[in-house]
Amino acid sequence: MRQVHFQDLGLIDYATAWDYQTKLFQATIDRKIANRNLPESEQLLTVDHLLFCEHPHVYTLGKSGKQSHLLLNEAEMRQSGVQFFPIDRGGDITYHGPGQIVGYPIFDMDHHFTDIHRFLRTLEEAVIG
């Protein structure tokens, strides 16, 4: 059975959390690449991570989103202390703010379901359940 490394990052700036996720993801990729050159008996397991956190007021724009869907202009966001980040994940406009728990799974999917939708439903049930 694989273990999941859980971290509660508390209230954390979106960019800082994004950078941390990127670092963890890159470590997974690096380990998988290194394992290709090793006999199976010497290969190291990748580490699965589940991060929980809260963000200061922030809107993210996913790959399938349109900035015109954001109802605040730049001046209104600046005045309200709201940050805005275009990201390379799916989705449209998403709001995160204090008091809202956000979960970021960083898993090596080679060791879990091949059906990403089933994986997400199972993770959702475990977190919300």
Side-chain angles (χ1 to χ4, degrees):
M1 171 177 258
R2 288 182 57 88
Q3 292 186 348
V4 176
H5 183 244
F6 172 76
Q7 287 181 276
D8 182 350
L9 303 176
L11 183 64
I12 185 171
D13 178 75
Y14 187 84
T16 303
W18 179 266
D19 289 345
Y20 186 54
Q21 292 172 70
T22 301
K23 177 182 156 194
L24 295 175
F25 180 66
Q26 188 61 52
T28 298
I29 292 169
D30 292 346
R31 179 157 298 170
K32 289 173 76 91
I33 290 170
N35 280 343
R36 289 180 187 166
N37 300 318
L38 296 172
E40 192 170 331
S41 63
E42 294 179 28
Q43 292 180 6
L44 299 174
L45 288 177
T46 55
V47 179
D48 292 330
H49 300 272
L50 180 58
L51 309 176
F52 278 7
C53 65
E54 299 176 52
H55 295 301
H57 301 287
V58 63
Y59 286 96
T60 59
L61 176 66
K63 292 187 298 187
S64 61
K66 295 182 175 79
Q67 191 155 351
S68 62
H69 294 171
L70 183 61
L71 302 179
L72 299 173
N73 63 39
E74 207 170 305
E76 290 170 320
M77 285 190 291
R78 198 170 30 255
Q79 180 181 6
S80 300
V82 175
Q83 294 182 311
F84 175 77
F85 290 93
I87 58 172
D88 63 356
R89 294 182 181 162
D92 196 356
I93 297 284
T94 303
Y95 168 80
H96 300 296
Q100 176 193 35
I101 304 286
V102 181
Y104 295 113
I106 303 162
F107 284 53
D108 180 350
M109 295 307 293
D110 287 340
H111 302 282
H112 298 280
F113 305 115
T114 55
D115 178 346
I116 189 67
H117 298 291
R118 179 178 173 206
F119 173 79
L120 291 173
R121 284 190 306 273
T122 301
L123 182 60
E124 184 180 63
E125 286 176 20
V127 171
I128 296 172

